[in-house]
Amino acid sequence: MRRIPQIAHPLLIGALGVGAMGAGIAMRAMRSQRRQGRSERFCELIVEALEASQLPRIEGCAVEVGEGFGKPSLVSFDVRVSSFVSAEEAVKILEVATRATWDNPEIAPIVIRGRVLRLETAGDESVLNGEGALSIEDELSIEGDRGEREHKTSEEQSRQLFAEMSSLGFADEIARPDELYARFGAPASDPMWRP
């Protein structure tokens, strides 16, 4: 029977401990600091792009950037607009926000799930008659980098899904990198990228 070698010498144990601490420090130094606050930066990017366009003013924007190991990051955003925005304007708002997200300066390629939500008052006829878009009850909204979701309901205000990625011609509610490339070309942060 062979004996399993054991490390018992105090100097060798100390050297291994110092090596492990050094490796931990090196890994922390190599980790990108730009990850922190990424959702806020994406939200600012979308708002700036929408303000630069000649589209109606938006009521708010929420973004969540989810990063997975070995696959493209999912950027999910909700743009809230007032009830005075038309369906055509909502699709244009979604397109501008999607293009701004795709052309972000930080990460490429990405997967995008975008929506335009219309805020309606309870007295609005389109809500009472169910016209215009699908009603979403008890909508979960995305809040900040932590990805915390708050349950928001109100008797006086309801949210309607006004436009989503399929409104832009994508296959479903999530646009994948090859579909985004076909529509917008290579992302600005990596002009050489191809699907």
Side-chain angles (χ1 to χ4, degrees), residues 78 80 117-120 134-137 139-143 152 157-161:
D78 288 341
R80 294 180 297 277
L117 303 175
R118 183 167 66 175
L119 302 177
E120 300 280 1
L134 300 171
S135 177
I136 295 187
E137 298 175 12
E139 183 66 41
L140 294 175
S141 67
I142 301 166
E143 298 292 339
K152 293 187 177 181
Q157 209 174 55
S158 67
R159 293 183 184 183
Q160 286 188 327
L161 179 60

Side-chain angles (χ1 to χ4, degrees), residues 180-191:
L180 291 160
Y181 177 82
R183 185 175 185 100
F184 300 119
S189 60
D190 186 4

Side-chain angles (χ1 to χ4, degrees), residues 6-186:
Q6 298 194 4
I7 301 170
H9 197 280
L11 288 177
L12 191 53
I13 292 171
L16 288 173
V18 169
M21 284 178 41
I25 291 169
M27 291 301 288
R28 278 194 297 276
M30 290 189 316
R31 189 178 303 147
S32 172
Q33 296 300 314
R34 292 190 51 81
R35 283 183 167 184
Q36 297 174 348
R38 185 170 275 169
S39 294
E40 288 84 1
R41 289 193 299 276
F42 270 73
C43 189
E44 290 171 10
L45 181 72
I46 291 170
V47 170
E48 287 173 11
L50 289 170
E51 286 177 353
S53 69
Q54 300 299 317
L55 297 168
R57 184 182 162 100
I58 64 169
E59 299 290 322
C61 178
V63 179
E64 180 180 2
V65 179
E67 299 182 55
F69 184 74
K71 56 185 179 181
S73 299
L74 170 65
V75 179
S76 182
F77 67 82
D78 288 341
V79 176
R80 294 180 297 277
V81 297
S82 72
S83 59
F84 302 107
V85 174
S86 70
E88 294 80 22
E89 290 171 327
V91 171
K92 289 177 184 173
I93 287 169
L94 182 60
E95 178 152 15
V96 169
T98 302
R99 179 181 284 277
T101 303
W102 176 245
D103 285 334
N104 78 83
E106 294 187 37
I107 51 175
I110 56 174
V111 176
I112 301 175
R113 175 189 167 270
R115 303 184 304 179
V116 175
L117 303 175
R118 183 167 66 175
L119 302 177
E120 300 280 1
T121 57
D124 192 317
E125 283 185 23
S126 64
V127 173
L128 296 174
N129 296 333
E131 296 172 358
L134 300 171
S135 177
I136 295 187
E137 298 175 12
D138 303 335
E139 183 66 41
L140 294 175
S141 67
I142 301 166
E143 298 292 339
D145 201 30
R146 296 177 307 237
E148 292 179 5
R149 298 176 184 261
E150 281 184 25
H151 195 67
K152 293 187 177 181
T153 59
S154 171
E155 291 180 13
E156 296 183 10
Q157 209 174 55
S158 67
R159 293 183 184 183
Q160 286 188 327
L161 179 60
F162 208 24
E164 62 174 344
M165 301 308 284
S166 60
S167 304
L168 295 178
F170 294 106
D172 54 29
E173 66 179 12
I174 295 177
R176 286 149 189 88
D178 57 332
E179 297 172 312
L180 291 160
Y181 177 82
R183 185 175 185 100
F184 300 119

